[in-house]
Amino acid sequence: MEYTCRLDGAKMICSITSDRDLAAPILCFSGMAPMTATKGGERLRGMGSFTEVALPDLKAGHPHEVVVEYTDGHRAANRAWLPLGPYLRAQGEAIALPYHPKGRVPPLLPDLGPIDGLPLVPQPVNWTPSDGTVDVTGVQCGDDALTAVADLAARRGWRFDGDFPVRITTADMAADAYRLQITPKSIHITAGDYGGRFYAGVTLLTLMQAGPLPCGVISDAPRFGWRGQHLDTARHYYQPQTILDLLDLMALLKLNRFHWHFADDEAFRLEIDSFPELWQKTAFCGEGHLLPALFAGGIKAGGSYSKATARQIIARAATLNIEVMPEIEAPAHALAMTHVFPDMRDPADNGPETSVQGYQGNCVNPAMPRTWDVLDAIAIEVGNLFPFGHLHLGCDELPKDTWMGSPKARALMKEKGLNTTQDLQGWTIAKLAETVVQNGQRPAAWEEAAQGANGGIGHDAILFSWTGQGPGLEAARAGYDVVMSPAQHVYLDMAHSADPDDWGASWAAFISLADTINWDPVPDPALADRIIGVQGTFWSEFTTEDSQIWPMLMPRMLGVAVKAWQVDPISADNLTRLAVSYQRIWPVDRAG
C-alpha cells in the first residue's frame, strides 16, 4: 500500500495506491474536527471527526485521489490537521495505510548572546553575586530532598551527589522558598520545608549543568502556590514512562501541580473497581471496539492505567514536590460514559445538541438515577486514590441547549426552579461537588462551573479559567479561587506559528515562546488573593506518538514556569536566551 496526503489551501489531497484489487473499499480516518469528502469518494457516516468515505473499486497499482475538507467552518491550519490513522476497510479486512506523521520540527533558536542573569528558569527573586566560581561535580545529599534531586539527575543522565559540603538550616519561610549561599568551600541551604530544600537542589543541579557554580547568594520564593501542567491522556494514551518524564521536566522548572486528564469523550483510562466496564470498554478505540478510532494513529489505539501505575506516578510526583490532581469530566465530554451506560441519558430526549467536537449525546442527564449512581461512585473512588485531596470535575463545553429536549430534565428543572441549560449545569456540578466535599476532597472545575442562577458549583471549588482571563476574573470577584490557564498564552497544543508546515491546533491562537509571557496573571490587583496560580495545558487530539509531545511543550513550558514563579517580568529576548541554554538540559527530540 502507498499513501500520501498534502495540504492545498483548505483541501487535503490524499492519494491511495493499493497493492491489490479492492472492491468497494471504505476509507476511514480521524482528524481535528468533522470532515467530509468533496472529490473521489462519498462520505458514509462519522462520529465527531472520525469519518468513513466510500471509494470506487481500486485497481492494484493505480493511484486514486480523494479530496477531504473540514466542515462546520473549520479549516486545516497545518500538517497536524491531515487525516489521522487512515486505513481501508474492504472485504472484511482492515488495511492500514502507511502514514507516520513526524510531528513538529522545531526550528533553531537564535543565539542572542549572553543571558541576562543566571541560567535558570524561572529566574530567582534575588541574586547577589560574590567574587569567583567553584567547580563542583557533586554535592553531599544526606537530606531527603537533595537525595530526590540526585535521583532526578541520575534519571536524566547527570550526576548530583558527591563530596562537596552542604549545610542545611531550617527557618520560618514561605512554602517552597529557599536561600542558597555558594562559597568556594561549601554550600548553605536555608528553607522551611521539603519544597524549599528540593528547589534549592534543583537550582544547584541546573547551575551545575551550565558550568562552574557562581559564588553568591540566591534568595527565592514562588509567586503562586499553584504552578501546574495539564496533560490529556484521554485522546492519546501516553506510556507511564512518558508521564514520569514529564514530572521530571516539571520539577526542573519548579512546577508543582500535575493535572491528569484521563477521562473524556473518547476514553476513561483509569482502572476503577466500582464500574470496571467503563475503562474495559473504552480504553481502546477502533475496529472491533465500542468507539471508532477517534484521534487514533491507526486501526486501533489506546490503553489504560492500573491503580498500581497511578500510585507509582503519585509516589514519583511526591518526591519531586508535585501533587497530582485527577479529572473525571461531567456533565459534558462524556461520550464514552454514555455509550457504556446509555441509561445515563433520557431515552425520550430529542434535543439536537452537538458538541464542538461534533459529537451527539456526549452529556449525562442529571434527571436519570443511573447518572448519580455512576458519578458519585467514580468521584469517591478516584478521590480516595489520589492523596492530594483535590478532584477536578470537568464542566466545560456543554453544548448549546443540552437537556432542553429531555422531558425528565425539564421536569427536574421545574422542580428545582431552574430555567436554562446553564442553571441545570450549575445545579448538577454543585450536587457532584457536594459528594466530593463529603468525601473529604476539594472540588475543582473549568470556568463554566461558575455559571447558573444558583451561583454555580460553590463548595469552595477552584476554577480554571481557559477561554481567556475574563471568566477567571469574574469568578474571582464572585469569591472563587482561580487558576489562570488562558488558551491564548499557555495552551501548549496550539501551533507555534501560522506556517502550514508547523504542527498543532489553532482555534485559540498561534502561540510563540514570547506569547507565553506576554500577559499578566493578575491584571486586577484587588483580586490577587483569589488568583492562586498559573497552569499550562496540553490537549492530545493530534498526538499519535508520545515523542510528539516534547517539541510542543518545550521551550514554551519555560514561559509557563516564568509566569507561575516570577513576579518580575522577563524580556522575550532573555527568555529565548534561556531557552537556548535549556536545550542542553531537555532536548526536544527525545524525553530527556
Side-chain angles (χ1 to χ4, degrees), residues 257-470:
R257 300 286 186 265
F258 174 49
H259 181 167
W260 192 359
H261 186 97
F262 52 70
D264 212 295
D265 284 314
E266 296 76 17
F268 190 100
R269 299 204 186 278
L270 183 66
E271 298 179 6
I272 57 174
D273 301 320
S274 52
F275 291 98
E277 60 266 49
L278 181 56
W279 59 269
Q280 290 170 349
K281 292 183 178 181
T282 71
F284 288 89
C285 65
E287 292 288 301
H289 292 275
L290 181 66
L291 295 177
L294 302 167
F295 303 125
I299 295 171
K300 73 172 187 176
S304 60
Y305 302 101
S306 69
K307 286 190 174 182
T309 295
R311 292 187 182 101
Q312 177 192 14
I313 290 168
I314 293 165
R316 172 67 62 78
T319 69
L320 300 172
N321 199 48
I322 296 171
E323 298 281 7
V324 182
M325 177 182 67
E327 180 178 355
I328 62 173
E329 278 290 6
H333 283 285
L335 185 73
M337 190 174 290
T338 61
H339 273 66
V340 176
F341 305 113
D343 49 352
M344 295 179 77
R345 290 185 55 81
D346 182 354
D349 189 343
N350 62 2
E353 68 272 6
T354 302
S355 77
V356 295
Q357 293 82 16
Y359 299 130
Q360 294 183 324
N362 82 324
C363 303
V364 299
N365 191 315
M368 304 300 291
R370 182 66 156 175
T371 292
W372 296 106
D373 292 342
V374 175
L375 290 183
D376 285 343
I378 290 173
I380 290 170
E381 183 175 356
V382 173
N384 288 342
L385 178 62
F386 290 82
F388 182 34
H390 290 63
L391 180 62
H392 199 293
L393 302 178
C395 201
D396 61 319
E397 295 189 321
L398 189 72
K400 183 180 179 181
D401 294 331
T402 296
W403 305 311
M404 293 301 99
S406 163
K408 291 184 180 296
R410 296 303 292 260
L412 177 63
M413 292 172 67
K414 183 176 181 180
E415 175 189 342
K416 301 298 180 182
L418 307 173
N419 297 314
T420 69
T421 289
Q422 284 67 39
D423 290 347
L424 183 52
Q425 175 181 252
W427 179 89
T428 301
I429 206 68
K431 178 175 169 61
L432 185 56
E434 183 177 1
T435 296
V436 173
V437 171
Q438 289 177 350
N439 197 44
Q441 283 100 35
R442 186 179 186 184
W446 299 106
E447 64 189 41
E448 293 95 323
Q451 297 172 359
N454 64 337
I457 187 172
H459 295 90
D460 192 33
I462 300 172
L463 297 188
F464 290 70
S465 189
W466 66 276
T467 63
Q469 291 185 264

Side-chain angles (χ1 to χ4, degrees), residues 77-222:
N78 53 50
R79 294 179 296 104
W81 293 65
L82 295 176
L84 295 173
Y87 66 94
L88 296 175
R89 187 187 301 130
Q91 298 156 208
E93 181 184 2
I95 306 166
L97 294 175
Y99 175 58
H100 302 288
K102 59 185 177 181
R104 182 173 191 260
V105 180
L108 290 176
L109 292 170
D111 185 355
L112 300 178
I115 295 168
D116 180 13
L118 292 170
L120 293 171
V121 176
Q123 288 283 286
V125 172
N126 186 66
W127 160 240
T128 304
S130 57
D131 291 337
T133 61
V134 55
D135 287 314
V136 176
T137 57
V139 301
Q140 294 174 348
C141 295
D143 176 78
D144 57 348
L146 295 187
T147 298
V149 176
D151 292 341
L152 166 60
R155 291 194 295 270
R156 311 280 28 120
W158 311 322
R159 180 185 174 190
F160 183 68
D161 60 325
D163 299 325
F164 198 76
V166 175
R167 181 164 59 96
I168 296 178
T169 301
T170 301
D172 185 11
M173 300 177 72
D176 296 342
Y178 65 91
R179 183 179 184 272
L180 178 62
Q181 183 178 15
I182 303 171
T183 74
K185 294 185 177 181
S186 67
I187 293 169
H188 183 194
I189 295 171
T190 305
D193 59 6
Y194 179 93
R197 302 193 310 275
F198 179 78
Y199 291 136
V202 167
T203 293
L204 280 173
L205 175 63
T206 307
L207 291 174
M208 287 166 61
Q209 304 316 302
L213 292 179
C215 293
V217 177
I218 295 173
S219 297
D220 206 6

Side-chain angles (χ1 to χ4, degrees), residues 488-527:
Q488 301 82 1
H489 298 283
V490 294
Y491 264 40
L492 305 183
D493 56 302
M494 296 295 126
H496 290 64
S497 72
D499 186 343
D501 199 41
D502 208 337
W503 185 266
S506 61
W507 64 264
F510 298 112
I511 300 177
S512 68
L513 177 60
D515 292 327
T516 64
I517 59 167
N518 289 335
W519 63 291
D520 183 358
V522 190
D524 182 352
L527 301 176

Side-chain angles (χ1 to χ4, degrees), residues 7 9 19 45 54 106 132 214 236 386 441 510 535 565:
L7 278 177
D19 58 5
R45 65 186 71 87
H236 172 71
F386 290 82
Q441 283 100 35
F510 298 112
Q535 180 167 290
W565 186 280

